[in-house]
Amino acid sequence: MRNFIIFIFGLFVSVYPENISAQSAVWTEAAPGVWNIIVGEPDKFDLYKAAEIKPATEALSKMKDSPFPFNEKDIFTEVVKDQTFIRFPLIKDEQIFGFGLNFKTVWSRGKILLLHVDHYGGTDNGRTHAPVPFYVSDRGYGVFINSAKYLRVYAGSAVRKEKQEESAILDRNTDKKWTSAPYSDAVEILVPASGVEIYLFAGPTTLDVVRRFNLYSGGGCLPPRWGLGFTQRVPTLYTSTQVEEEAKSFREHNFPLDFIGLEPGWQSKSYPCTFDWDRTRYPDPASFVKKMKEMGIRLNLWTNPYVSPYSPIYKQILQYTGTHTVWGGVVPDYSIPDARMIFLNQLKSSQVDIGVSGYKLDENDGYDRWLWPDVAKFPSGNSAEQLRQTYGLLLQKMTYEMFHKNNTRTYGLTRASNGGGSSFPYVIYNDYYSHEDFITALINSGFCGVLWTPEVRGSKTSEEWLRRFQTVCFSPMAMINAWSDGTKPWSFPDVENEVREYAFLRMRLIPYLYSEFAKYHFEGTPPFRGMNLEPGFDSKTKMELKN
Amino acid sequence: MRNFIIFIFGLFVSVYPENISAQSAVWTEAAPGVWNIIVGEPDKFDLYKAAEIKPATEALSKMKDSPFPFNEKDIFTEVVKDQTFIRFPLIKDEQIFGFGLNFKTVWSRGKILLLHVDHYGGTDNGRTHAPVPFYVSDRGYGVFINSAKYLRVYAGSAVRKEKQEESAILDRNTDKKWTSAPYSDAVEILVPASGVEIYLFAGPTTLDVVRRFNLYSGGGCLPPRWGLGFTQRVPTLYTSTQVEEEAKSFREHNFPLDFIGLEPGWQSKSYPCTFDWDRTRYPDPASFVKKMKEMGIRLNLWTNPYVSPYSPIYKQILQYTGTHTVWGGVVPDYSIPDARMIFLNQLKSSQVDIGVSGYKLDENDGYDRWLWPDVAKFPSGNSAEQLRQTYGLLLQKMTYEMFHKNNTRTYGLTRASNGGGSSFPYVIYNDYYSHEDFITALINSGFCGVLWTPEVRGSKTSEEWLRRFQTVCFSPMAMINAWSDGTKPWSFPDVENEVREYAFLRMRLIPYLYSEFAKYHFEGTPPFRGMNLEPGFDSKTKMELKN
């Protein structure tokens, strides 16, 4: 009766042998140890399409063979009208990690999430800068949902009637063992679409799973060596003269400095942006960039993606923008090649051609009121929701390709990313400033193919300053962000020597960091990762599922 | 080109004259001063269907005639695939109220919400106990979206390109007037369905709008007089003897007491529930209830809706339950009449027939991990999301009808409600305990056709205790909830006299409160309401829209 009701409502697709209704609903090996399945009719635009992934098949084929990590019949998928239901089994004591850049907890089992690109708001509820729909199990497999929609995830919290353990039914009146979260034997995911593509990554180890996931996106990024040095972001209204002085003061204080980040004031107008130099603060950008490079210092430029009517590209890009504005700026549909070209032409001719080395891609995540609404429409026909989930990916991809075509490397910052972005040389940052949670995010970044910097801004005490500085020196980007307060590494004189020691330790680590990034690139091994990815840390990291 | 792309994606419906594509997409007068429109193909199950509203047409026809409050062409609706887009205009300085039981702010303009039944989590983000998709404008009209889905609301935050005011485009680098929230001229709503029914309520005053909204749901509820007295909820494991003693102690302390609430311990097992008396604590329920009634004290029984395998109705109701459990309890699909009948038969034969006067309907709102997941499926074919949005409504309706058929009145508590529930004699409560926010909720309850009690539990000081007590005495239900800590009205001896004074003031107010509830019932006027609903408080409460 139940099945009948569902059937008349829409397409019914399942991997249960008795219900196979579509030839496509079978798992296919997409690469060694990587399988995918097409359930129903997926959306045309997804994460891998946005990222235009180029799987590192050669590297993947070098990995040990690993069998399909499940009995197929234990995986359940079903399309009902405009929703796709997915269920993967969990066994007792199995631990899972991932579901993107969470800040509070490493273990993901039990979480209920709405995966939604957003500025992290203090709760691991799925709203974060990189809500990657990927999880990895300590049983040696990983699951990726290739969807650019807001996904509802029940990561081992939902209990089905037929799987209910009778012993879990307790009387709360009198039984102290009563719990609001009884044992659940599955990860369940709801995709708001009439189909979806799912990927499975084999181990055998947990780290192998993550490696395959990263390699399938093209392998991890390989930053330039200067990107692994030290960087300072200067106050927003600094002039070229002040930036030069800043560089000199680093030398005077005997602090290393490899690149400087300019904040919004380099642009003639910002929020929305002109993507053009402010000629009062930067009267001669080409000479300035050249002079800095002669001092051995690269430049990274802040920008957000919204186009001001005062921008030279406004008229040209207008036809490729969405229905709604952000602070008066139009919102380009960067899923359209022509929109990307117009934007990149401006960046290239005005900045990259004179030697600018990278970008900080701001305001592409949230908060909701800092972005376009979900009711916006875009000329590509991709929904506002799909663009929200992929805007960070699109911006990373296009700017990375621009540098790549110029035969130069880049290393920049982004506030949003998603699944498929491992190969883009960008590091995620945010405005949330909990030191403890910044470290948790660093651990979690390793589970989902993104990089994260626990940037240092102000501190209340010199102790805090030193601890934050130590943390950031052991992260993908060693950075002080002084855009607002002008802090310098020596701002706390009583720990200046200790801070300097860590700055130079970072410098001495560059060859090692570079080697680790090479492993990220060629083998998919995340350069920063939690101990749960280390063989031997957890004896359960064996593939024992297929019994 | 844009229109074309949208057109090939799905049904295109709009009230723009040039795009009228369906005969049904016109506004029809549903009752005097009430219009509705069917856009696209709405879901079969909605809020008004769940509540089975019976519009108080006679009362509505007694209200002054009021014209359609818009130029129809200023209202925009469109269906694209499985989403419906709605836009209503806002003019400068217009204020709007509503969107359900919010706790932090009364004014709604500028809010971004995901209307989602849930326990209130400390932020006005749309997740609350009664996320009623209704708002009222101080320009004298109201809008109701009759949908049981999670709606995304941009209540005057989204700015369309063609409506962008050039003066709002400022340079954040140098202009202190820059704002992240520039002027928006519309409320925009996204409905995740391929159609929806929308209602418009006319004024002329803001209060008239709310009155029409309440009358259209059948008019406000009319509680029994005893329901407006004082109520104490006793500790969860109290026995019938202890409850009798509690009643006596109120007399000894010269405190009024009209009904007592029994918490989970009255049931033989709870979380999930048996809906049956615990015979160790309540050996003779019939005599106990009779004895209490002879003392002039009614009884209200706590319950949650999930059925324990140890419940007498478990086997019978099993076929009408969803795929997932809540703490081992099965989740009845109360949108199915047979499921309601089984549940009510148990309540009636075991409790109502021996004189129990009402229920406290707990755990029908959230948190997510205290409820069924959105991946659950139900035998009616209604989605987990639709049942989440209506479960509180369904439980109120069915229990209310049970008492109504018995020709007795009831007055109870619920933790979830929604649009269409005004006529159900239930008061919302929650676990959130901010006194200030409790008062804000009391104000907001008046905008959306629900009742709210700022229940008193513990307090840190006698001052706090007195203030909370004063507040609850000026609310729909004057209640102490001592389920956990056993607090009594006289627990703070230094303010016992003042507390008693307010308890008796409440008693003296009963005739006035009862008259106010009669106005709620017969005229739709909320008995507890903010000053913004009072004529004269805001000179802008005139209908000046249709110019």
Side-chain angles (χ1 to χ4, degrees), chain A residues 25-296:
Chain A
V26 289
W27 290 95
T28 315
E29 190 154 21
V34 183
W35 295 266
N36 73 339
I37 191 171
I38 307 277
V39 180
E41 292 184 44
D43 293 329
K44 302 246 177 300
F45 188 64
D46 57 37
L47 297 177
Y48 277 170
K49 288 212 181 74
E52 295 186 60
I53 58 154
K54 295 175 193 70
T57 37
E58 205 178 326
L60 280 163
S61 63
K62 279 185 201 151
M63 290 183 73
K64 259 195 296 192
D65 243 15
S66 201
F68 189 81
F70 286 97
N71 272 324
E72 287 195 26
K73 70 173 178 57
D74 292 336
I75 303 166
F76 173 80
T77 61
E78 186 184 14
V79 179
V80 182
K81 233 177 151 189
D82 50 8
Q83 297 190 314
T84 303
F85 296 76
I86 301 169
R87 187 173 66 237
F88 278 85
L90 286 177
I91 62 169
K92 288 224 167 166
D93 301 323
E94 181 174 356
Q95 282 299 344
I96 56 174
F97 309 92
F99 293 117
L101 195 64
N102 291 301
F103 286 73
K104 290 282 183 193
T105 46
V106 173
W107 291 274
S108 288
R109 188 160 181 166
K111 279 182 185 163
I112 297 176
L113 307 164
L114 176 71
L115 299 183
H116 188 309
V117 169
D118 202 351
H119 193 281
Y120 182 71
T123 314
D124 282 0
N125 58 12
R127 284 192 176 243
T128 184
H129 308 268
V132 186
F134 171 75
Y135 69 96
V136 52
S137 161
D138 66 0
R139 313 297 295 182
Y141 68 89
V143 175
F144 175 66
I145 315 296
N146 183 22
S147 167
K149 292 285 188 71
Y150 303 149
L151 308 185
R152 293 178 238 179
V153 174
Y154 300 84
S157 70
V159 184
R160 277 164 302 141
K161 208 158 53 179
E162 71 265 26
K163 292 290 180 165
Q164 180 63 54
E165 302 194 329
E166 205 172 320
S167 61
I169 301 160
L170 303 172
D171 178 18
R172 196 186 183 200
N173 291 333
T174 52
D175 199 328
K176 296 260 180 233
K177 292 196 302 294
W178 184 90
T179 168
S180 66
Y183 169 67
S184 157
D185 72 343
V187 173
E188 300 205 54
I189 299 174
L190 185 57
V191 182
S194 49
V196 74
E197 187 185 30
I198 310 169
Y199 282 84
L200 250 175
F201 297 90
T205 69
T206 313
L207 181 60
D208 286 333
V209 175
V210 172
R211 288 177 54 211
R212 286 190 211 261
F213 176 63
N214 290 335
L215 288 173
Y216 197 75
S217 304
C221 65
L222 192 58
R225 289 173 69 102
W226 58 258
L228 300 176
F230 192 81
T231 183
Q232 174 89 3
R233 302 201 72 84
V234 297
T236 187
L237 293 182
Y238 257 30
T239 63
S240 54
T241 313
Q242 286 173 303
V243 175
E244 287 165 32
E245 278 161 15
E246 181 94 346
K248 281 178 204 152
S249 75
F250 268 71
R251 294 205 173 164
E252 283 157 20
H253 283 85
N254 189 27
F255 265 95
L257 182 63
D258 295 275
F259 62 110
I260 279 180
L262 307 186
E263 289 288 317
W266 76 268
Q267 296 198 35
S268 54
K269 286 177 192 294
S270 77
Y271 292 85
C273 292
T274 59
F275 316 104
D276 208 2
W277 296 91
D278 181 89
R279 296 289 168 162
T280 60
R281 292 184 285 274
Y282 295 86
D284 185 354
S287 309
F288 163 67
V289 175
K290 186 160 175 274
K291 202 163 172 184
M292 295 303 292
K293 206 168 237 168
E294 284 163 5
M295 292 173 75

Side-chain angles (χ1 to χ4, degrees), chain B residues 506-524:
Chain B
R506 170 80 184 192
M507 293 301 118
R508 293 199 303 278
L509 284 175
I510 289 180
Y512 303 96
L513 290 168
Y514 194 79
S515 300
E516 288 305 308
F517 270 97
K519 285 184 206 159
Y520 188 35
H521 183 64
F522 293 111
E523 297 167 16

Side-chain angles (χ1 to χ4, degrees), chain A residues 152 164 188 324-325 374 377, chain B residues 78 152 164 324-325 374:
Chain A
R152 293 178 238 179
Q164 180 63 54
E188 300 205 54
H324 288 65
T325 57
D374 284 345
K377 301 202 195 83
Chain B
E78 187 184 12
R152 293 178 237 179
Q164 180 63 56
H324 288 65
T325 57
D374 284 346

